[in-house]
Amino acid sequence: QVQLLESGGGLVQAGDSLRLSCAASGRTFNSYATGWFRQAPGQEREFVAGIRWSGDSTRYLDALKDRFTISRDNSKTMVYLQMNSLKPADTAVYYCADRSRYTSVVPTDSDEYNFWGQGTQVTVSS
């Protein structure tokens, strides 16, 4: 089984930046896409950003595309989410997820992903 572990969350002030990391272990198949999702208390899980494992395609929630950047390590061992100019509305638990089946695009639906981490808390104070 693939194990995903998010890290990098924390408590920051509005305007600060964070970089989240997603590390995977135990992969026996390629991760054809990795996505970041977030869920605030009482809210539905929301797609944030995604990247194909090859790095040739990325997608973002429109409202975040100017502030968030998803990338992969050149060794393809980790995926990152750089979050700049954070706002209190960004407060949520952030999850990374892997898709083990081939896809030519980056899915935005959570059901399209197979493996999930436990999440890392991001709290942005005003």
Side-chain angles (χ1 to χ4, degrees):
Q1 293 183 358
V2 176
Q3 301 288 331
L4 302 180
L5 178 63
E6 304 95 338
S7 62
L11 174 62
V12 298
Q13 295 184 351
D16 287 349
S17 298
L18 282 173
R19 190 178 76 159
L20 305 183
S21 300
C22 178
S25 63
R27 279 197 179 104
T28 58
F29 298 94
N30 288 336
S31 173
Y32 287 102
T34 299
W36 286 97
F37 295 78
R38 67 185 185 184
Q39 188 167 22
Q43 302 294 321
E44 297 294 324
R45 188 162 51 188
E46 179 182 47
F47 175 79
V48 173
I51 187 170
R52 270 172 50 87
W53 199 236
S54 64
D56 63 351
S57 181
T58 59
R59 294 181 71 175
Y60 297 91
L61 181 67
D62 285 345
L64 304 176
K65 63 182 180 180
D66 294 330
R67 298 190 293 115
F68 288 16
T69 303
I70 189 170
S71 62
R72 64 164 175 82
D73 189 271
N74 288 336
S75 67
K76 300 184 179 181
T77 59
M78 299 185 72
V79 173
Y80 306 98
L81 182 68
Q82 179 68 43
M83 305 185 296
N84 297 326
S85 301
L86 284 163
K87 305 174 181 179
D90 296 319
T91 296
V93 177
Y94 285 72
Y95 302 89
C96 68
D98 273 354
R99 177 183 171 96
S100 63
R101 303 185 303 276
Y102 173 81
T103 179
S104 61
V105 299
V106 177
T108 59
D109 294 333
S110 60
D111 288 346
E112 297 290 336
Y113 294 86
N114 308 106
F115 303 99
W116 293 81
Q118 296 300 306
T120 184
Q121 177 72 47
V122 173
T123 302
V124 184
S125 65
S126 59

